[in-house]
Amino acid sequence: MKIGILTSGGDCPGLNAVIRGAVLKGIAVHGQEFVGYKDGWRGVVEGDIIDIPRTMVRGISKQGGTILGTSRTNPFENGGGPEVIKGHMDRLGIDAMIAIGGEGTLAAAKRLTDAGIRIVGVPKTIDNDLDATDYTFGFDTAVEIATEAIDRLRTTGESHHRCMVAEVMGRHVGWIALHSGMASGAHAILIPEQRVNIDQIVEWVKLAHDRGRAPLVVVAEGFTTDTMAEAHSERGLDTFGRPRLGGIGERLAPEIEARTGIETRATVLGHIQRGGVPTAFDRVLATRLGMAAIDSVVEGRWGTMVSLNGTDIVHVGFEAALGRLKTVPQDRYDEARVLFG
């Protein structure tokens, strides 16, 4: 059997470990052959592939990014569609696909599966926002990177007695902000799930400052105050028509400084959270998911994705993966909120 692998959407640490796990098990256990689609769905639509022999995946589990490249191409636009994609698969002798990506990738994979193309999925999002899996690879690494960066911001903030605002990724959910904020001892954590007014934020900052601390605020890019109609965006729309978020930290910092008199600085961590080597946790999880995806292919579980349930890898339908976002529940935020101020 010849299997095509693609990585689509935003990159994150752990993608290469998935590829390695799938290829090594597929070759060693089942004698399968592998090719990689270049740059995600673009390669699928254009039939642009490279061979993936065993030698190509040696030592790549520790590498960040993806050796196949990625893009945010919509496979149903720009000359794509099921007929075109199936035609390329027949021409290239590809029997099935493993699609590694987030909600957008899996939604496209479901539509193509419904059209008769044999696809299994591997969930990928550093936001950890897919409800059908307990954790997604890349999240642990993003939290670790954010925590280290925030720790560094804290030391300079304390030296100058400043308030530091650290903006982290999180369009719809605040898992990265919650975990990195708790880990770094933030005095306020602001997430999309919780609309907080500026007076409350200022109160938390003042409480920390009055105790002789340099206040630290961690905010997710998708956070909105109670007076904002939508998340802050200054950079237009992406290829799927979604606002490119970013800049809420720069918007909050002058407001905090004006209301408290405390010199305030904002830093946007941005894409630094996507880069670098994956943590050991993410390498292991990604490898296990890649190996489990081969089981899905062998068993003909088309239209499903592999998922982490506790410590077990299970198989769930794309419908479950796309049903709803995994948001930060109220009790988890209340738990952290005790530590604010």
Side-chain angles (χ1 to χ4, degrees):
M1 177 179 268
K2 189 173 183 179
I3 301 169
I5 301 178
L6 68 112
T7 54
S8 180
D11 68 302
C12 76
L15 286 168
N16 287 324
V18 177
I19 297 168
R20 175 179 175 272
V23 170
L24 290 184
K25 182 170 186 178
I27 292 175
V29 178
H30 302 291
Q32 294 165 333
E33 183 181 353
F34 291 88
V35 296
Y37 287 105
K38 296 174 68 174
D39 301 331
W41 291 119
R42 183 198 66 77
V44 175
V45 170
E46 298 177 7
D48 188 6
I49 64 169
I50 57 172
D51 291 330
I52 309 180
R54 182 171 185 145
T55 54
M56 188 175 180
V57 300
R58 287 176 179 169
I60 67 170
S61 63
K62 63 179 178 295
Q63 295 178 18
T66 165
I67 62 170
L68 299 179
T70 186
S71 67
R72 297 189 184 275
T73 302
N74 187 329
F76 296 91
E77 297 178 354
N78 301 316
E83 296 80 10
V84 171
I85 292 170
K86 185 64 167 63
H88 286 310
M89 292 179 70
D90 291 342
R91 175 177 60 84
L92 297 167
I94 298 172
D95 301 296
M97 288 187 213
I98 296 175
I100 311 168
E103 184 181 18
T105 300
L106 297 177
K110 181 184 184 305
R111 287 182 61 186
L112 292 171
T113 301
D114 292 343
I117 297 176
R118 304 200 294 183
I119 306 177
V120 300
V122 178
K124 177 274 320 171
T125 166
I126 64 169
D127 288 333
N128 197 41
D129 60 359
L130 286 178
D131 192 56
T133 184
D134 288 348
Y135 279 95
T136 48
F137 65 88
F139 170 69
D140 187 70
T141 304
V143 169
E144 188 67 27
I145 292 169
T147 300
E148 180 181 353
I150 293 167
D151 285 345
R152 293 175 183 274
L153 290 175
R154 186 160 203 165
T155 60
T156 185
E158 289 173 344
S159 297
H160 293 271
H161 313 292
R162 290 171 176 155
C163 172
M164 305 300 288
V165 179
E167 180 183 319
V168 300
M169 285 185 169
R171 171 179 288 271
H172 298 298
V173 304
W175 288 109
I176 294 177
L178 181 75
H179 280 232
S180 62
M182 289 188 73
S184 58
H187 300 108
I189 300 172
L190 310 176
I191 61 176
E193 296 90 335
Q194 300 284 332
R195 293 172 69 88
V196 179
N197 63 59
I198 190 66
D199 292 333
Q200 177 62 81
I201 299 170
V202 167
E203 181 182 344
W204 286 326
V205 168
K206 284 182 175 179
L207 284 171
H209 186 260
D210 290 346
R211 297 198 321 274
R213 305 303 304 276
L216 172 63
V217 178
V218 176
V219 57
E221 62 187 356
F223 168 75
T224 57
T225 65
D226 61 343
T227 60
M228 295 172 61
E230 56 189 15
H232 186 66
S233 173
E234 298 176 330
R235 297 175 294 168
L237 305 178
D238 65 16
T239 54
F240 289 93
R242 301 174 304 181
R244 289 190 173 96
L245 303 185
I248 183 62
E250 293 286 356
R251 183 169 174 176
L252 289 175
E255 187 75 14
I256 292 171
E257 183 168 328
R259 288 171 176 255
T260 64
I262 304 168
E263 187 179 4
T264 304
R265 294 283 191 274
T267 298
V268 180
L269 300 187
H271 287 82
I272 193 172
Q273 294 158 93
R274 291 191 183 277
V277 300
T279 61
F281 178 89
D282 280 340
R283 296 182 202 187
V284 172
L285 174 58
T287 301
R288 293 183 68 203
L289 290 173
M291 296 173 70
I294 293 300
D295 296 334
S296 296
V297 170
V298 171
E299 295 164 9
R301 295 176 178 267
W302 315 122
T304 68
M305 76 169 199
V306 290
S307 167
L308 182 69
N309 183 3
T311 59
D312 297 327
I313 304 295
V314 298
H315 308 266
V316 300
F318 284 151
E319 296 84 356
L322 302 170
R324 62 176 182 174
L325 290 174
K326 181 174 64 184
T327 57
V328 175
Q330 187 66 48
D331 63 313
R332 286 295 307 274
Y333 189 74
D334 291 342
E335 179 182 68
R337 187 170 175 144
V338 173
L339 307 173
F340 295 176

